């Protein structure tokens, strides 16, 4: 089973999250020639307090 992993900021709107996983699932199913039921989508969300760029936390860069 193919696994799609998405890493990024939190998607607060549940309908937006549903649409994203539906579209990713459909695209992967088409590309692999497999059924949608074979696709796994993992969402890993990070807050600005847990991500750093250039040695600085994002929460500190956006002050």
């Amino acid at each position: 089973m193919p696994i799609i992993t998405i890493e990024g900021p939190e998607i607060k709107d549940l309908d937006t999250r549903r649409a994203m996983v539906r579209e990713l699932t459909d695209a992967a199913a088409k590309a692999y020639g497999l059924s949608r039921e074979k696709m796994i989508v993992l969402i890993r969300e990070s807050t600005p307090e847990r991500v750093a760029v250039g040695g600085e936390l994002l929460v500190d860069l956006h002050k």
Side-chain angles (χ1 to χ4, degrees):
M1 285 192 242
I3 299 174
I4 301 165
T5 304
I6 300 296
E7 294 191 29
E10 180 182 12
I11 299 172
K12 295 183 187 219
D13 183 69
L14 193 54
D15 287 333
T16 300
R17 189 188 308 237
R18 285 182 179 117
M20 180 182 71
V21 298
R22 195 169 26 252
E23 291 172 22
L24 289 169
T25 297
D26 289 343
K30 181 179 177 182
Y32 283 105
L34 297 171
S35 69
R36 297 176 87 249
E37 292 73 27
K38 299 287 186 192
M39 303 299 124
I40 297 171
V41 178
L42 301 175
I43 302 172
R44 296 186 178 148
E45 297 175 326
S46 300
T47 62
E49 295 85 12
R50 295 184 175 159
V51 179
V53 175
E56 299 290 330
L57 291 172
L58 290 181
V59 69
D60 296 330
L61 292 175
H62 295 287
K63 285 185 177 180

